[in-house]
Amino acid sequence: MAVIPKILIFAGSVRSGAFSGKTADVAQKELAMQGAEVTRISLGDYPLPIMDEDLEKEKGVPENAVKLGRMIAAHDGIMIATPEYNGSIPPLLKNTIDWASRVRLDGGRSFRPLNGKVAGLCSSSNGPFAGIRCINHLRAVLVRCQMEVVTPECSVPEGGNAFDDGGNFRDERLIRSMEHLCRTLIETSRLKSTRIGA
């Protein structure tokens, strides 16, 4: 019997109507259609201070970073839908990743939630470049955090016109791109989970 992978998904923006949020909606539906068990969260539910090593030394890693780390660890893979700010990663998302990468302990036991975790990436923008500069930066950061980022990605240009009234992609190429990304993320997460459980 095939393992049903558990996938965590979130957007890199919490703005109402954000294209990244709409892209995450599409990914959530596609992952579920392909048989994954999907959990959707908002980074707004895990507020964190700006990453500061003096603060970390004084007070430790914030509890919300540890809670998010537990959420990541409880899933076989994650899907991130990111917007692009000034050609790179939005500060909310970068700060969240930075804090999550600092998690080392949970209840006294060694705990590194990002290490080896499978990730899939989407990007979006209101212009023609679809956030491709950001997604490349994000991929590099996650690989540096020892994550396994799958090769397919889904980048959404002209976000204001990319979605129909039902919240689905209008462009057939984007539909196929998301299908391919989700299939690869599911298969890679399932394979990794099977290896770990063997």
Side-chain angles (χ1 to χ4, degrees):
M1 183 175 176
V3 174
I4 299 175
K6 296 170 65 176
I7 306 295
L8 180 69
I9 182 167
F10 56 85
S13 171
V14 295
R15 179 180 65 83
S16 176
F19 304 137
S20 58
K22 292 181 177 181
T23 302
D25 290 341
V26 175
Q28 181 178 356
K29 287 187 284 188
E30 183 60 35
L31 285 164
M33 282 180 57
Q34 293 194 26
E37 181 182 332
V38 186
T39 304
R40 176 75 176 274
I41 62 170
S42 169
L43 295 185
D45 293 331
Y46 299 86
L48 291 163
I50 297 297
M51 174 63 202
D52 180 344
E53 289 191 18
D54 287 338
L55 177 64
E56 180 185 6
K57 185 176 180 180
E58 178 186 348
K59 298 185 176 181
V61 174
E63 180 61 23
N64 275 340
V66 177
K67 288 179 180 178
L68 182 60
R70 291 177 191 139
M71 181 68 76
I72 292 170
H75 290 77
D76 301 304
I78 66 172
M79 178 79 84
I80 303 174
T82 182
E84 180 175 286
Y85 288 9
N86 294 322
S88 192
I89 306 169
L92 171 64
L93 179 56
K94 183 61 166 62
N95 192 59
T96 299
I97 294 167
D98 288 344
W99 272 122
S101 74
R102 305 295 290 187
V103 176
R104 298 286 189 273
L105 295 170
D106 184 16
R109 67 182 178 90
S110 178
F111 183 53
R112 300 174 75 98
L114 301 186
N115 283 30
K117 191 62 62 176
V118 180
L121 304 181
C122 308
S123 65
S124 57
S125 76
N126 200 32
F129 297 112
I132 57 175
R133 293 167 296 187
C134 170
I135 207 170
N136 288 334
H137 294 174
L138 179 57
R139 180 180 295 274
V141 168
L142 297 182
V143 169
R144 181 67 182 82
C145 292
Q146 306 300 312
M147 298 182 74
E148 181 179 341
V149 186
V150 299
T151 300
E153 54 193 44
C154 182
S155 296
V156 182
E158 310 292 349
N161 298 312
F163 306 90
D164 64 21
D165 292 340
N168 303 301
F169 288 145
R170 297 180 188 275
D171 191 323
E172 184 64 32
R173 289 173 299 178
L174 282 178
I175 294 171
R176 291 197 302 268
S177 177
M178 183 63 81
E179 288 174 350
H180 182 41
L181 168 58
C182 290
R183 186 180 312 112
T184 305
L185 178 59
I186 287 171
E187 290 174 353
T188 306
S189 299
R190 178 183 289 128
L191 180 62
K192 187 114 183 178
S193 174
T194 301
R195 287 202 305 264
I196 292 172

